[in-house]
């Protein structure tokens, strides 16, 4: 699937990076980290900053939900950006977050619910060159389309920064040292509110791609193959090459449906495609829209970066399949169902006894050919070098045991 047009600014981010969390430090003798991962999903984390007409409630298990308060602001959509009429809204302005690295790329994601008539919007700005940028809009989202059409915002560009669909990217060798987010909640009818449970931000330095900061292989995982049901994107007349992301997400959600017994998680591919479609970008490959769709069914979903197959092995060991963004030229991936692609999503489901990668590749002509094995080093290159620099969707049930934190301590 061609995820989006390959503008000069965007594919600077297609580089090998690793997850690295707040407060983590590099091991002695190792290079400094160049990717930082923040998650805000507790009452304390979501309560930071300035609240305006919103409330934050505590949930079981230490989680929280942001909702509109009893007296939201009233507004009118004169620009056609939202619902074309009147609405009510509230917001959170975060404190300044300093990742501790110089970054030129920021990828957001969020988890929440949007009952009919409600939607959310996420803005981000960064401090670059000693001053703050303008606010950049990184998505207007709702599960349904009865009130608004979920969409990215096109044409956002300054001399130094730009938005490429769902990614805030420096133009040229431009870096930031801090960011703020502004979360807005909307409803067309007073008394009904969206709810936001989590926000995630990955910041990274794309110029330091390929540095050996990843987790090494775990041969104990070799031979494990998760039972992810195979589904082909090519069997749908309206899908074909452009439905790799919703097809991969559908497979992972179906896997969790069987593991948890929650049948509603098993969503057919066309339904997932409708639920992830970006009405401005004109496709289903908006990364946070995909993870938000999974989260709207009660799962946890975030957009992350990996730097090594060793990290992926830890997730397979924990029973968590990954949706990975890859790309390859002709002859670079033996056994692939298509000769080349500038951007494609597939599911990593396991590893052979020799360490090769077992995937569900939705580009196969039928479900019978979806499960495939790709040679380990070839796959590493098409994920971390030719491809997205290790971008992946993490989707799993709340409370599921995650891998123990290794080098990327706390990143997930």
């Amino acid at each position: 699937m061609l995820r989006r047009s390959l503008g000069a600014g965007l594919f600077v981010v297609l580089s090998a990076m690793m997850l690295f969390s707040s407060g983590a430090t590099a091991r002695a003798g190792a290079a400094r980290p160049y990717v930082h991962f923040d998650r805000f999903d507790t009452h304390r984390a979501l309560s930071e900053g300035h609240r305006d007409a919103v409330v934050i409630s505590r949930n079981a298990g230490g989680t929280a939900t942001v909702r509109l308060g009893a007296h939201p602001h009233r507004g009118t959509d004169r620009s056609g950006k939202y619902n074309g009429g009147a609405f009510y809204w509230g917001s959170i302005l975060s404190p300044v977050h300093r990742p501790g690295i110089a970054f030129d790329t920021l990828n957001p994601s969020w988890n929440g619910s949007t009952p009919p008539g409600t939607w959310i919007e996420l803005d981000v700005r960064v401090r670059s060159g000693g001053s703050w940028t303008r606010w950049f809009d990184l998505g207007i989202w709702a599960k349904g389309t009865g009130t608004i059409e979920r969409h990215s915002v096109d044409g956002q560009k300054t001399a130094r920064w730009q938005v490429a669909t769902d990614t805030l990217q420096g133009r040229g060798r431009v870096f930031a040292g801090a960011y703020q987010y502004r979360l807005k909640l909307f409803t067309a009818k007073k008394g009904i509110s969206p709810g936001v449970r989590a926000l995630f931000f990955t910041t990274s330095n794309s110029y330091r791609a390929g540095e050996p900061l990843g987790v090494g292989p775990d041969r104990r995982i070799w031979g494990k193959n998760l039972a992810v049901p195979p589904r082909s994107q090519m069997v749908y007349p309206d899908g074909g090459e452009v439905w790799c992301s919703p097809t991969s997400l559908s497979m992972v959600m179906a896997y969790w449906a069987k593991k948890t017994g929650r049948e509603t998680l098993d969503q057919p591919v066309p339904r997932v495609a409708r639920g992830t479609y970006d009405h401005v970008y004109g496709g289903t490959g908006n990364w946070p829209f995909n993870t938000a769709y999974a989260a709207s069914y009660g799962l946890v979903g975030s957009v992350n970066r990996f730097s090594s197959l060793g990290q992926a092995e830890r997730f397979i060991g924990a029973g968590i399949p990954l949706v990975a963004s890859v790309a390859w030229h002709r002859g670079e991936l033996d056994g692939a169902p298509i000769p080349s692609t500038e951007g494609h999503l597939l599911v990593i489901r396991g590893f052979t006894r020799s360490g090769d990668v077992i995937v569900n590749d939705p580009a196969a002509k039928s479900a019978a050919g979806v499960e495939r094995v790709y040679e380990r080093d070839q796959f590493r290159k098409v994920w971390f070098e030719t491809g997205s620099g290790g971008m992946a969707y993490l989707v799993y049930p709340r409370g599921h045991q995650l891998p123990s934190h290794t080098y990327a301590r706390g990143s997930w």
Side-chain angles (χ1 to χ4, degrees), residues 124-137:
V124 173
R125 67 176 183 171
V126 299
R127 190 160 58 200
S128 176
S131 60
W132 287 100
T133 65
R134 54 164 279 190
W135 286 100
F136 293 97
D137 195 324

Side-chain angles (χ1 to χ4, degrees), residues 107-352:
N107 294 97
S109 45
W110 56 84
N111 291 182
S113 59
T114 52
T118 70
W119 65 96
I120 67 172
E121 181 176 19
L122 183 65
D123 299 332
V124 173
R125 67 176 183 171
V126 299
R127 190 160 58 200
S128 176
S131 60
W132 287 100
T133 65
R134 54 164 279 190
W135 286 100
F136 293 97
D137 195 324
L138 290 177
I140 297 168
W141 183 81
K143 181 179 179 181
T145 57
T147 305
I148 66 158
E149 293 183 333
R150 81 190 72 83
H151 63 277
S152 53
V153 177
D154 217 357
Q156 298 182 84
K157 182 185 299 185
T158 67
R160 297 168 64 87
W161 292 86
Q162 67 179 4
V163 173
T165 305
D166 51 21
T167 301
L168 179 59
Q169 179 69 48
R171 304 183 68 196
R173 206 169 184 86
V174 176
F175 297 95
Y179 72 90
Q180 278 186 295
Y181 70 78
R182 185 171 61 193
L183 173 68
K184 300 177 185 177
L185 285 69
F186 296 87
T187 183
K189 184 177 180 180
K190 200 171 181 180
I192 302 174
S193 175
V196 176
R197 301 188 308 272
L199 294 163
F200 308 95
F201 297 90
T202 298
T203 48
S204 54
N205 179 342
S206 65
Y207 287 89
R208 293 182 56 189
E211 295 183 11
L213 295 174
V215 177
D218 185 352
R219 289 175 172 80
R220 296 172 299 176
I221 306 303
W222 293 7
K224 185 164 186 175
N225 183 12
L226 304 180
V228 181
R231 293 177 179 176
S232 169
Q233 70 194 75
M234 306 303 287
V235 300
Y236 301 99
D238 298 326
E241 292 187 4
V242 299
W243 276 10
C244 61
S245 184
T247 306
S248 295
L249 185 63
S250 174
M251 289 189 274
V252 168
M253 291 180 69
Y255 166 81
W256 288 119
K258 187 172 182 179
K259 295 285 286 186
T260 63
R262 293 163 54 189
E263 295 181 1
T264 56
L265 294 178
D266 189 353
Q267 299 289 313
V269 172
R271 185 178 301 168
V272 180
R274 289 194 298 270
T276 57
Y277 187 79
D278 180 333
H279 289 262
V280 167
Y281 159 54
T284 58
N286 184 309
W287 289 333
F289 283 13
N290 277 262
T291 53
Y293 181 85
S296 73
Y297 285 89
L299 296 168
V300 177
S302 63
V303 178
N304 288 267
R305 284 189 186 272
F306 288 74
S307 70
S308 71
L309 289 173
Q311 286 179 312
E313 286 165 352
R314 270 65 173 184
F315 280 87
I316 296 302
I320 302 173
L322 305 172
V323 178
S325 177
V326 296
W328 64 86
H329 303 117
R330 188 176 294 272
E332 289 184 339
L333 190 62
D334 295 339
I338 50 179
S340 64
T341 173
E342 293 178 314
H344 182 55
L345 280 293
L346 50 71
V347 180
I348 300 175
R349 56 178 290 172
F351 292 84
T352 68

Side-chain angles (χ1 to χ4, degrees), residues 56-70:
I56 303 175
S57 60
R58 296 180 185 272
N59 303 329
T63 62
T65 303
V66 183
R67 293 186 175 87
L68 288 170

